[in-house]
Amino acid sequence: MTGLETKLRALRDGGRKLVVPYLMAATTPGWTEYLLAAEAGGADAIEVGIPFSDPSMDGVVIQRAGELALGRGANPFGILAELRGISLGIPMLVMTYYNLFYRAGLDRMAGMLAEAGVEGVILPDLPLEEAGPWIEAASPGIATVQLISPITEGERLARVVAASEGFVYGVGLMGITGERLKLAETATGVARRIKAVSDKVVCVGVGVSSPEQAAEVVAAGSDGVVVGSALVRRVLEGARPQVIEEFVGGLRSAVDRG
Amino acid sequence: MTGLETKLRALRDGGRKLVVPYLMAATTPGWTEYLLAAEAGGADAIEVGIPFSDPSMDGVVIQRAGELALGRGANPFGILAELRGISLGIPMLVMTYYNLFYRAGLDRMAGMLAEAGVEGVILPDLPLEEAGPWIEAASPGIATVQLISPITEGERLARVVAASEGFVYGVGLMGITGERLKLAETATGVARRIKAVSDKVVCVGVGVSSPEQAAEVVAAGSDGVVVGSALVRRVLEGARPQVIEEFVGGLRSAVDRG
Amino acid sequence: MSVMGHPDPTGRFGEFGGRFVPEPLMPAVIELERTFEEAWADPAFRDEYHRILREYAGRPTPLYHARRLSESLGVDLWLKREDLAHTGSHKINNVIGQALLAQRLGKTRLIAETGAGQHGVATATAAALFGLECQVFMGEVDVKRQALNVFRMQLLGAEVVPVSSGSRTLKDAVNEAMRNWVSCLETSHYCIGSVMGPHPYPYIVREFQRVVGEEASIQFEAATGKSPEWVVACVGGGSNAAGTFAGFVDSSARLVGVEPEGGAAIGRGVVGVVHGMESMFLQDEFGQVEEAQSISAGLDYPGVGPEHAHLAAIGRASYESVSDAEVLDAVRILARSEGIIPALESAHAVAWVIRERERFGDGDSVLVTLSGRGDKDAETIANATGAGL
Amino acid sequence: MSVMGHPDPTGRFGEFGGRFVPEPLMPAVIELERTFEEAWADPAFRDEYHRILREYAGRPTPLYHARRLSESLGVDLWLKREDLAHTGSHKINNVIGQALLAQRLGKTRLIAETGAGQHGVATATAAALFGLECQVFMGEVDVKRQALNVFRMQLLGAEVVPVSSGSRTLKDAVNEAMRNWVSCLETSHYCIGSVMGPHPYPYIVREFQRVVGEEASIQFEAATGKSPEWVVACVGGGSNAAGTFAGFVDSSARLVGVEPEGGAAIGRGVVGVVHGMESMFLQDEFGQVEEAQSISAGLDYPGVGPEHAHLAAIGRASYESVSDAEVLDAVRILARSEGIIPALESAHAVAWVIRERERFGDGDSVLVTLSGRGDKDAETIANATGAGL
Ligand SMILES: Cc1ncc(COP(=O)(O)O)c(C=O)c1O
Ligand SMILES: Cc1ncc(COP(=O)(O)O)c(C=O)c1O
């Protein structure tokens, strides 16, 4: 069991619903303030996006944030160096695409992530079948979170869930990141299906954008939610860290109310 | 022997070199004045062009004159009516394309030409092989002039020359109507070759544009010259009849000097 | 003389045809006639012609059973796919033949008229293939509406000469080509693009296009075991129709040529003599040739090949017409139901089948020659449908 | 595993390939793999596929001996004429196969990415032919430079979606197509246009393009009694090259893939994982994918199919590159000497042969796959050569 899993299980087992905000790195000079703000708002862990040139699973908001960051000259090493410089009381995960790790070298990247205090990674384009070399380089220091989609089923569902480290990421809908006016039906089903095969911590993300939607997801049995585009959009609109803190706070109280 | 041939032979046999100007009909309201002017300048016969939509053997000058005439609403019947109204002391020929005759009906056209006092026709797109029906309709009142080109040879040369009525039209060059700076070599050869097989009257046209060129052609053995574009260009440039008379006069003296 | 056999010694199909050329051109057309007769009787020449069509031009072109369109129309429809021939239309068949003749005649230069530009492109292509010079005459109006083809001709090394006389379309390009030809007979072959002009052209071009109908007839028989009841092709000058009909004239098929409403030389024309041939032409009461009006540059011609006038006169083929609007509809329908964008010219034949679909008997098969592809027409179609490009 | 045989169970050709797709797509690619394996082993499927290629798409395409160009280059040059295939390139072979798969999968909609628009046109065509809906993703830059193809797709009933993210060319169109696909897996098949993407696509597309090489090999042998010493094809994603090479990989022919200088994924790229595959990509030191720069939209891609990375790694094929200027020269040279206007993509292969002509041994034959025709590129060529259009 990775350190990340231990921490999140403890929270979950203590009855707490998990709020996991996603923020794109390097969108503004003081972007790390957003991480601190998210923590202050009541986040239980935080996902930091490292921008990639070809974010094929992201919607326009996160695409645009990534382009902004890249346009500002961001690179993975610089971002990790900045993460090393801040001190958060909650676990940090990195979310990005596999090529950045591949290019850096897997062992080297694992080392750099660990040094930066990152405890887990989410690589949407690295399915379990291809994850072997990376997991070998990352374990056990860094948890590799697996995704379960609304149509992952049967033997495969059990296998991927079993392999997931840190927590299990339930993808809320068949689609890419981005806010939706209404929660997809699939977002409530996916957690239930994961729960049926495992007692791992489950967080549902993609298409979870508002406190109401977050509450709905946990009410349906998920241990927590991942919220990204709703936050990133605010950052793109020039929101101060305070706004992020308040929005995360809103998620916090919504899931706490249950 | 047609009437036209009798007249031209008489002139030729009297030692006169023939000057045959070509003028496009209906280019201006008073266009028949140009015919009278040509006569006054010393023409021995005159060719009147009836405009056709697709003058495939004509250069730009005569094309443009034809378009001008058609644009003014000219039609073959109207033109022939106007010709009937003028009195020239020299023979008139009509030069045009066969479709206008075909469309009018051959007998009807022959009758209208005769009524208008036209004694001969030149139809460049009606070769001897196809001329039978027309000649039948036109003979003997109207002479059908045949063309001989620089490359008409042997048996064909003899046959076409023999069939030509009125006179034999020697085409001065391999090409379409239009002024040339220099007389083509072929213009001097063609008359000689026709003379070698017949004693018919020979006039050379196409590419004969100036008094000097006219003189060269008759010096080489032709009985006369046909000059078109050089005159029509002057008409298009707005020349008064006087100018046409003078230009024809110039041709007259040039061929007379020999 | 059998129907669609050899023309008579004066170059006539029944009453139509002949050789109305100025005396300076006479030796050239006589020489061409003799050379063609010899060549066409020479197995080596035919072999070479068919070899090039096969290895270079992509023959045989498929005969395609248009199942989805058949179903939606309730007509058993087959398409002879000249759109797949090299350069994009049947025009290549004729120019390969004529370029071989030019070579045999010792000529070093091809001249051609073009409307849609397909014949110009084909001629420029054959010129490049045989290492000949090439000059293409094209009405100014057509130069504008077929810009893609103008560029293709230039890229192929041909000179495109815009013609600004008359209606500035195909008929004037013919005039200009003839004017040019007479001045360079020694070096140049005039490569006429359809079954028109003075004898022997209508005959030569039909023979070089005969491959379309002969292939189609064999292919249809192989696929169905029978002959089609209807054979349909668009008619500009009429070469794709003549080539197609030649393969079926001895069968019981009903032959239908489709003209554009604004250029229906058989439908609305009268007999005359223009461009060297006695045939049907749109003309006024005085014999002045009228301008055709068609959305397709390749059918924008006021005359028709003499053999078609003859087939119409003896009732062996019928000639019908369709409107520009029907043609545009046909383009869209064929594109959407079969994934084939036809040339506007070819779409005339399809449009007629669509309009007349009630007319075909149960079990009748309709074979349509799709003379070319529509890439060249994208801009015209876009403008006509308000799509812009 | 024989060279160019079946990929290994992880979808790898040697070290390259694999299946790097997000979990939501995993069931779809697994289902596609299974369906393809079944279909490809099913004679009825293969018959249907080959029947459509024959009756509809114009196969076999000719193998043409380019005599005049051979003579002027001093190289015995043969061209496999994919430019004569329906829609104007080899892309039709693949989409016909994939549309049949989509049908077998019960899908009612095709989505596709496109660069030059040839794959988009081919997909729109297959969609029309099979009565499927169709949406094509195309970079904004390409929408502009391939306007003719955009119009063709629309006329065929497809929706063209301009992609404004990233470099606004092919790679971004791929991203957008994948984004779309994940949201409509149930109804839609993603019809990838080259030997790229996650397993089984590189394998499927190569198999559907194998017909190019197999035909060419039989045709060359029939014409000459031997095998060519050199086999050359342009490489974007690499489908025409893969299909061609598949027909010759077991012969002694030297296989050459030609990339654009500004998009030489094998020549200047490094190994990475993008678009679902482990292969070679142009990328910076951090792993950000770089924009390719090529005059030809169809080769303007910073990656390459994994099997090519493998063929390069084991030395069975070599990959070379040519400049835009060399490509434009090659277009002109081929047009003027053979009457064939190649696609800018295809002209890369010709350009390499022209540049390297001294390198071929006496008596060597060079077979080049001419993957497509150049009509779509008229405007680009005109602008590049200052001719205007
Ligand atoms: C595709 C196509 N079809 C038909 C025609 C008309 O010619 P014809 O009637 O001689 O076949 C043309 C002429 O340009 C053409 O390009
Ligand atoms: C004519 C042509 N050739 C080649 C290519 C490149 O694709 P591939 O390398 O997959 O053959 C394209 C792509 O659009 C194309 O249109």
Side-chain angles (χ1 to χ4, degrees):
Chain A
M1 204 173 284
T2 58
L4 179 62
E5 180 164 355
T6 311
K7 290 184 194 169
L8 297 181
R9 266 186 190 270
L11 287 169
R12 191 265 314 262
D13 295 346
R16 184 171 169 98
K17 296 298 180 186
L18 307 181
V19 172
V20 185
Y22 167 99
L23 285 157
M24 174 62 79
T27 48
T28 62
W31 65 277
T32 52
E33 296 297 322
Y34 290 120
L35 307 185
L36 299 166
E39 180 183 16
D44 300 295
I46 197 153
E47 285 181 25
V48 177
I50 299 184
F52 179 52
S53 53
D54 292 79
S56 57
M57 281 301 115
D58 285 307
V60 283
V61 167
I62 295 181
Q63 281 175 47
R64 218 164 284 154
E67 283 177 17
L68 189 66
L70 289 173
R72 291 186 59 250
N75 74 60
F77 309 142
I79 288 166
L80 292 180
E82 286 195 77
L83 289 182
R84 201 164 50 213
I86 63 168
S87 73
L88 278 179
I90 53 172
M92 275 193 302
L93 294 92
V94 151
M95 181 154 185
T96 190
Y97 291 81
Y98 184 48
N99 196 54
L100 300 187
F101 287 21
Y102 193 99
R103 181 78 172 111
L106 302 185
D107 288 332
R108 178 164 166 242
M109 180 53 82
M112 293 177 71
L113 289 166
E115 260 177 64
V118 173
E119 295 181 57
V121 299
I122 303 170
L123 298 166
D125 64 342
L126 188 70
L128 183 57
E129 284 79 354
E130 300 289 359
W134 163 248
I135 291 174
E136 192 166 316
S139 282
I142 311 237
T144 302
V145 176
Q146 299 295 333
L147 280 66
I148 293 296
S149 92
I151 60 170
T152 312
E153 284 182 341
E155 178 274 330
R156 178 173 186 85
L157 175 69
R159 184 156 46 87
V160 178
V161 168
S164 196
E165 299 174 337
F167 65 94
V168 182
Y169 194 125
V171 179
L173 50 76
M174 292 302 289
I176 54 175
T177 60
E179 297 171 84
R180 309 292 198 282
L181 277 180
K182 221 176 133 304
L183 192 71
E185 272 179 46
T186 44
T188 50
V190 71
R192 257 195 310 274
R193 294 195 301 108
I194 298 168
K195 289 280 179 194
V197 299
S198 152
D199 76 336
K200 292 196 175 178
V201 176
V202 176
C203 293
V204 172
V206 180
V208 185
S209 323
S210 64
E212 297 69 36
Q213 293 174 350
E216 230 182 298
V217 165
V218 298
S222 181
D223 299 318
V225 292
V226 181
V227 177
S229 295
L231 283 158
V232 175
R233 176 170 57 79
R234 287 173 168 78
V235 170
L236 290 179
E237 288 167 3
R240 285 169 310 113
Q242 181 64 24
V243 174
I244 298 307
E245 180 179 338
E246 284 164 14
F247 187 76
V248 173
L251 293 169
R252 177 80 268 154
S253 5
V255 301
D256 285 351
R257 272 195 307 275
Chain B
M1 201 173 286
T2 58
L4 178 62
E5 180 165 355
T6 310
K7 290 184 194 167
L8 296 182
R9 265 186 192 268
L11 287 170
R12 193 264 316 261
D13 294 345
R16 182 167 169 104
K17 296 298 180 185
L18 308 181
V19 171
V20 184
Y22 167 99
L23 285 157
M24 174 62 79
T27 48
T28 61
W31 66 276
T32 51
E33 296 296 322
Y34 291 121
L35 308 185
L36 299 167
E39 181 183 16
D44 298 296
I46 198 153
E47 285 182 24
V48 177
I50 298 184
F52 179 54
S53 53
D54 291 80
S56 57
M57 281 301 115
D58 285 305
V60 282
V61 167
I62 293 180
Q63 281 175 48
R64 219 163 282 153
E67 284 178 20
L68 188 66
L70 289 173
R72 292 186 60 249
N75 75 60
F77 309 141
I79 289 166
L80 292 179
E82 286 195 77
L83 289 182
R84 202 165 49 212
I86 62 169
S87 74
L88 277 179
I90 52 173
M92 275 192 302
L93 295 93
V94 152
M95 181 154 185
T96 190
Y97 291 81
Y98 184 49
N99 196 52
L100 300 188
F101 286 21
Y102 193 99
R103 182 78 172 110
L106 302 184
D107 287 332
R108 177 164 166 240
M109 180 55 82
M112 293 178 71
L113 288 166
E115 260 177 64
V118 172
E119 295 182 58
V121 299
I122 303 170
L123 298 167
D125 64 343
L126 189 69
L128 183 56
E129 283 80 353
E130 301 288 359
W134 163 248
I135 291 174
E136 192 167 315
S139 280
I142 310 225
T144 301
V145 176
Q146 299 295 333
L147 278 66
I148 292 297
S149 92
I151 59 171
T152 311
E153 284 182 342
E155 178 273 332
R156 179 174 186 83
L157 174 70
R159 185 158 43 87
V160 179
V161 168
S164 196
E165 298 173 337
F167 65 94
V168 182
Y169 193 126
V171 179
L173 50 77
M174 291 302 290
I176 55 176
T177 60
E179 298 173 83
R180 309 294 197 283
L181 278 179
K182 218 174 137 303
L183 192 71
E185 272 181 45
T186 44
T188 50
V190 70
R192 254 196 311 273
R193 294 193 303 103
I194 298 168
K195 289 279 176 195
V197 298
S198 154
D199 77 334
K200 292 195 174 178
V201 175
V202 176
C203 292
V204 172
V206 182
V208 184
S209 323
S210 64
E212 295 70 35
Q213 292 174 349
E216 230 182 297
V217 165
V218 298
S222 181
D223 299 318
V225 292
V226 180
V227 177
S229 294
L231 282 158
V232 174
R233 176 170 57 79
R234 285 172 170 80
V235 170
L236 290 179
E237 287 167 4
R240 285 171 307 114
Q242 180 65 24
V243 174
I244 298 307
E245 180 178 337
E246 282 164 16
F247 186 76
V248 173
L251 294 170
R252 176 82 266 154
S253 6
V255 301
D256 284 348
R257 272 197 307 275
Chain C
M1 192 186 66
S2 71
V3 180
M4 299 200 87
H6 202 291
D8 78 12
T10 70
R12 276 180 171 69
F13 306 94
E15 316 253 289
F16 303 95
R19 176 137 71 192
F20 295 83
V21 295
E23 183 59 28
L25 288 179
M26 199 49 105
V29 290
I30 291 173
E31 185 191 18
L32 177 63
E33 179 184 4
R34 199 184 47 237
T35 303
F36 173 73
E37 296 286 2
E38 278 169 21
W40 210 224
D42 173 1
F45 180 91
R46 289 211 187 210
D47 282 356
E48 177 77 351
Y49 163 75
H50 283 292
R51 186 186 63 74
I52 296 174
L53 289 186
R54 193 173 58 242
E55 295 176 3
Y56 178 75
R59 302 213 73 88
T61 58
L63 178 69
Y64 168 67
H65 191 195
R67 287 195 181 72
R68 289 197 350 114
L69 188 52
S70 290
E71 207 158 291
S72 73
L73 295 180
V75 174
D76 187 47
L77 181 64
W78 297 72
L79 303 174
K80 176 62 173 164
R81 299 288 304 279
E82 295 302 298
D83 61 309
L84 293 177
H86 182 49
T87 70
S89 83
H90 69 294
K91 298 283 180 190
I92 192 75
N93 306 324
N94 170 41
V95 298
I96 294 294
Q98 288 202 45
L100 282 168
L101 286 183
Q103 224 177 22
R104 204 171 169 112
L105 287 159
K107 307 285 163 98
T108 58
R109 182 167 169 273
L110 298 180
I111 60 179
E113 83 293 339
T114 198
Q118 287 303 102
H119 175 59
V121 168
T123 306
T125 295
L129 181 64
F130 287 88
L132 307 169
E133 283 176 70
C134 183
Q135 209 169 27
V136 179
F137 296 88
M138 188 170 189
E140 264 181 359
V141 170
D142 295 334
V143 167
K144 286 217 182 83
R145 61 178 162 173
Q146 306 279 332
L148 170 60
N149 275 345
V150 171
F151 181 70
R152 289 167 78 198
M153 288 184 258
Q154 290 167 340
L155 197 53
L156 290 160
E159 186 193 346
V160 179
V161 184
V163 176
S164 58
S165 57
S167 59
R168 293 171 296 138
T169 60
L170 181 52
K171 86 175 172 67
D172 311 284
V174 174
N175 293 332
E176 202 60 31
M178 289 181 64
R179 290 178 189 126
N180 182 278
W181 192 29
V182 69
S183 70
C184 55
L185 285 173
E186 228 164 292
T187 58
S188 305
H189 172 68
Y190 177 19
C191 183
I192 288 190
S194 190
V195 287
M196 51 184 247
H199 179 65
Y201 281 106
Y203 172 50
I204 289 183
V205 177
R206 184 249 281 165
E207 288 301 290
F208 286 145
Q209 292 294 0
R210 163 185 289 284
V211 64
V212 176
E214 289 183 346
E215 279 178 13
S217 156
I218 292 168
Q219 290 166 323
F220 189 88
E221 160 89 31
T224 66
K226 64 164 193 174
S227 246
E229 282 71 23
W230 299 80
V231 171
V232 186
C234 70
V235 174
S239 67
N240 88 84
T244 303
F245 292 175
F248 296 95
V249 70
D250 296 330
S251 80
S252 60
R254 296 174 67 163
L255 310 178
V256 181
V258 185
E259 302 186 303
E261 257 179 19
I266 296 185
R268 300 194 301 105
V270 294
V271 184
V273 174
V274 182
H275 291 157
M277 59 184 168
E278 191 164 350
S279 190
M280 310 278 289
F281 298 91
L282 298 181
Q283 43 183 315
D284 70 10
E285 54 181 311
F286 305 111
Q288 307 295 355
V289 181
E290 287 179 345
E291 298 181 14
Q293 291 291 351
S294 168
I295 192 169
S296 74
L299 304 186
D300 212 348
Y301 181 65
V304 69
E307 191 163 22
H308 289 293
H310 174 58
L311 291 171
I314 63 173
R316 179 61 193 94
S318 62
Y319 294 81
E320 317 247 355
S321 69
V322 293
S323 70
D324 286 356
E326 289 169 329
V327 166
L328 287 166
D329 276 350
V331 168
R332 224 193 37 250
I333 290 170
L334 186 60
R336 300 208 167 181
S337 56
E338 295 291 349
I340 299 171
I341 303 176
L344 284 170
E345 290 80 12
S346 323
H348 283 69
V350 178
W352 182 80
V353 173
I354 293 173
R355 189 184 69 204
E356 302 294 326
R357 60 187 176 277
E358 302 296 343
R359 169 162 167 177
F360 308 112
D362 255 14
D364 279 7
S365 297
V366 180
L367 187 149
V368 168
T369 291
L370 215 68
S371 55
R373 60 170 138 91
D375 300 43
K376 69 182 177 60
D377 297 315
E379 206 165 327
T380 304
I381 297 169
N383 290 341
T385 55
L389 190 58
Chain D
M1 192 186 67
S2 70
V3 180
M4 300 200 87
H6 203 291
D8 79 13
T10 70
R12 277 181 170 68
F13 306 94
E15 316 253 289
F16 303 95
R19 176 136 73 191
F20 296 83
V21 294
E23 183 59 28
L25 288 179
M26 198 51 105
V29 291
I30 291 173
E31 186 192 19
L32 178 62
E33 179 183 5
R34 199 184 48 238
T35 304
F36 174 72
E37 296 286 1
E38 278 169 21
W40 210 224
D42 174 359
F45 180 92
R46 288 213 188 210
D47 282 356
E48 177 77 350
Y49 163 75
H50 283 292
R51 186 187 63 73
I52 296 174
L53 289 187
R54 196 174 57 244
E55 295 176 2
Y56 178 75
R59 303 213 73 86
T61 59
L63 178 68
Y64 168 67
H65 191 194
R67 287 196 180 73
R68 289 200 346 116
L69 187 52
S70 291
E71 206 158 291
S72 72
L73 295 179
V75 174
D76 187 47
L77 181 64
W78 298 72
L79 303 175
K80 178 61 175 164
R81 299 288 304 278
E82 295 302 298
D83 61 309
L84 293 178
H86 183 48
T87 70
S89 83
H90 69 294
K91 297 283 180 190
I92 192 75
N93 305 323
N94 170 41
V95 298
I96 294 295
Q98 288 203 46
L100 283 168
L101 286 182
Q103 223 176 23
R104 204 171 170 110
L105 286 160
K107 308 286 164 99
T108 57
R109 181 167 168 271
L110 297 180
I111 59 179
E113 84 293 341
T114 197
Q118 287 304 104
H119 176 57
V121 168
T123 307
T125 295
L129 181 63
F130 287 88
L132 306 169
E133 282 176 71
C134 183
Q135 208 170 27
V136 179
F137 297 88
M138 188 170 189
E140 264 182 357
V141 168
D142 295 333
V143 166
K144 286 218 181 81
R145 62 178 160 172
Q146 306 279 329
L148 170 60
N149 275 344
V150 171
F151 181 71
R152 289 167 78 197
M153 288 184 260
Q154 291 167 339
L155 197 53
L156 290 159
E159 185 192 347
V160 178
V161 184
V163 176
S164 58
S165 58
S167 59
R168 293 171 295 139
T169 59
L170 181 51
K171 88 176 172 64
D172 311 283
V174 174
N175 293 332
E176 202 61 30
M178 289 180 65
R179 291 180 188 124
N180 182 277
W181 192 30
V182 70
S183 70
C184 55
L185 284 172
E186 229 164 290
T187 57
S188 305
H189 172 68
Y190 177 19
C191 183
I192 289 190
S194 191
V195 287
M196 53 183 247
H199 179 65
Y201 282 106
Y203 172 51
I204 289 183
V205 177
R206 185 248 281 164
E207 288 301 289
F208 286 145
Q209 292 293 1
R210 164 186 286 286
V211 64
V212 177
E214 288 182 347
E215 278 178 13
S217 155
I218 292 168
Q219 290 166 322
F220 190 88
E221 160 89 31
T224 66
K226 65 165 192 173
S227 245
E229 282 72 22
W230 299 80
V231 172
V232 187
C234 70
V235 174
S239 66
N240 88 83
T244 303
F245 293 175
F248 296 96
V249 70
D250 296 330
S251 81
S252 59
R254 299 174 66 164
L255 310 177
V256 181
V258 185
E259 302 186 303
E261 257 178 18
I266 296 185
R268 299 194 302 106
V270 294
V271 183
V273 173
V274 182
H275 291 156
M277 59 183 166
E278 192 165 348
S279 190
M280 311 279 288
F281 298 91
L282 298 181
Q283 41 183 317
D284 70 11
E285 54 181 312
F286 305 111
Q288 307 295 356
V289 181
E290 288 179 342
E291 299 180 14
Q293 291 291 354
S294 167
I295 193 169
S296 74
L299 305 185
D300 211 349
Y301 182 66
V304 69
E307 191 163 22
H308 288 293
H310 174 56
L311 292 172
I314 63 172
R316 180 61 192 93
S318 61
Y319 295 81
E320 318 246 355
S321 69
V322 293
S323 70
D324 286 355
E326 289 169 329
V327 166
L328 287 166
D329 276 349
V331 169
R332 223 193 37 249
I333 290 169
L334 186 59
R336 299 208 168 183
S337 55
E338 296 290 349
I340 299 170
I341 302 175
L344 283 170
E345 290 80 12
S346 323
H348 283 68
V350 178
W352 181 81
V353 174
I354 292 173
R355 190 183 69 203
E356 302 294 327
R357 60 186 176 277
E358 302 295 345
R359 171 162 166 178
F360 309 111
D362 255 13
D364 278 8
S365 296
V366 180
L367 186 150
V368 168
T369 292
L370 215 68
S371 55
R373 61 170 137 91
D375 300 44
K376 69 184 176 61
D377 297 315
E379 204 164 329
T380 305
I381 297 169
N383 291 339
T385 55
L389 189 55

